[in-house]
Amino acid sequence: DKAKTTIELLGNDTDATKEYLEASCWADVAKETEQYKHTVPWHFIQNGYSMDGTEAKNGEEKDNVVLQLNKLIKSIDQKGADTKTSTTLRFLVHLIGDIHQPLHNINYFSKQFPNGDTNGRDFKLQIREGNATVTKSLHFLTDQVFGNFSDVPNLPFNGEISDEIVNRAMEIEKMCDDMTLSGFEFNPQLWSEEAYKVGIEIYKSVQFMNILTEEQITYLQTLLQKQMCRAGKRLALTYSLVYNKFPPPSDFYLIMIV
């Protein structure tokens, strides 16, 4: 498949993310380097939200995940088979995942957070882990789907981890069967607005520093799994849009898990 092969071209220089599945993590690794530190704002957008009347301001960043996805889709060379195209596709894949993560789209304001909670990074919750109760940020918990994917594996993945991801993906692909696939439009703005609304539901269901109940965790996991499902299917349709070829790689949305 064209997209898979092109994405893996960069693998010679980035052995830990050489294979297609691991390549979905490349943008997070790259943003920590001097060469790509300017890409940090590409991963999120700060749309303000408040429940107590505090003024909720939108971010003033010059670039964000919505703007960058619109730039990336226009810059892909359909015939490209080089590291530049590989880099573009790796960013595209990762940011489609990020824009469906609700806490990459919403910044919560309150009397406690008059300047915002930094997309949930400052909003703390408590969660039970075995016999202990630990404090974690709401952003971290949503990244990890509230414990569904709490054991972050090292790169590159071993065979056992890859198999687990495949099995999880088979479960998650059923979470958005109601999603309309016909008439697909590449529309990051719409996806961000959709994720923002899910983010509101998340904030409404939790309270700062409260211990999460099993019922809350199950509800939040379901919300996020549906978003992962949408992200995967939209990635597949994006490949089709770019290369006018369907289906995309058989593992196309396993990457939404990692």
Side-chain angles (χ1 to χ4, degrees):
D1 180 89
K2 178 69 173 179
K4 182 176 185 293
T5 301
T6 305
I7 283 173
E8 291 179 348
L9 280 175
L10 202 62
N12 293 331
D13 298 322
T14 55
D15 290 338
T17 59
K18 179 179 180 179
E19 302 298 330
Y20 177 71
L21 191 58
E22 288 94 337
S24 62
C25 303
W26 176 83
D28 272 346
V29 175
K31 71 182 182 183
E32 302 299 326
T33 67
E34 187 67 24
Q35 181 180 2
Y36 290 106
K37 66 180 182 180
H38 67 282
T39 68
V40 170
W42 297 8
H43 295 250
F44 61 89
I45 184 170
Q46 291 189 320
N47 292 313
Y49 170 68
S50 175
M51 289 188 285
D52 66 3
T54 301
E55 182 182 5
K57 301 176 182 179
N58 291 337
E60 298 179 356
E61 62 273 3
K62 295 180 180 179
D63 209 349
N64 58 51
V65 66
V66 173
L67 295 174
Q68 193 54 224
L69 278 171
N70 282 320
K71 292 177 184 177
L72 288 168
I73 194 69
K74 295 174 183 176
S75 66
I76 295 173
D77 180 359
Q78 290 178 306
K79 298 180 181 179
D82 50 35
T83 56
K84 179 180 179 181
T85 307
S86 178
T87 300
T88 302
L89 283 172
R90 282 169 177 245
F91 274 119
L92 182 78
V93 165
H94 184 91
L95 297 185
I96 287 178
D98 276 352
I99 202 170
H100 285 82
Q101 207 280 52
L103 271 292
H104 281 246
N105 296 271
I106 190 168
N107 194 23
Y108 177 67
F109 289 76
S110 67
K111 291 180 175 62
Q112 185 175 8
F113 300 108
N115 298 313
D117 71 347
T118 322
N119 293 81
R121 289 179 176 83
D122 299 328
F123 193 108
K124 306 298 183 181
L125 293 168
Q126 296 187 73
I127 188 167
R128 293 186 178 90
E129 291 186 352
N131 295 324
T133 301
V134 296
T135 300
K136 296 185 178 181
S137 75
L138 179 58
H139 188 103
F140 176 86
L141 289 168
T142 51
D143 270 347
Q144 305 304 321
V145 195
F146 288 88
N148 258 182
F149 304 99
S150 57
D151 296 321
V152 181
N154 294 323
L155 295 170
F157 303 144
N158 60 37
E160 183 179 345
I161 293 296
S162 296
D163 289 345
E164 181 182 353
I165 291 172
V166 170
N167 293 333
R168 293 286 187 91
M170 292 174 66
E171 297 171 3
I172 289 171
E173 70 175 317
K174 303 171 185 176
M175 299 293 292
C176 59
D177 286 340
D178 58 339
M179 180 178 165
T180 301
L181 301 180
S182 61
F184 172 72
E185 179 184 1
F186 186 86
N187 193 337
Q189 181 63 45
L190 181 64
W191 303 345
S192 179
E193 291 171 1
E194 177 185 77
Y196 175 82
K197 292 177 182 177
V198 178
I200 290 175
E201 294 306 309
I202 291 173
Y203 277 105
K204 285 182 176 179
S205 67
V206 298
Q207 291 185 329
F208 183 77
M209 284 302 293
N210 273 20
I211 300 175
L212 291 171
T213 66
E214 290 298 324
E215 291 76 12
Q216 284 176 304
I217 291 172
T218 299
Y219 172 70
L220 293 164
Q221 286 174 339
T222 300
L223 287 179
L224 293 167
Q225 287 169 351
K226 286 182 179 180
Q227 283 298 103
M228 292 171 69
C229 182
R230 294 183 184 111
K233 291 185 178 181
R234 285 169 177 159
L235 173 62
L237 292 166
T238 298
Y239 281 154
S240 180
L241 189 67
V242 171
Y243 292 109
N244 298 312
K245 181 180 178 181
F246 198 84
S250 59
D251 55 357
F252 67 90
Y253 64 91
L254 306 186
I255 60 169
M256 294 301 112
I257 292 179
V258 298

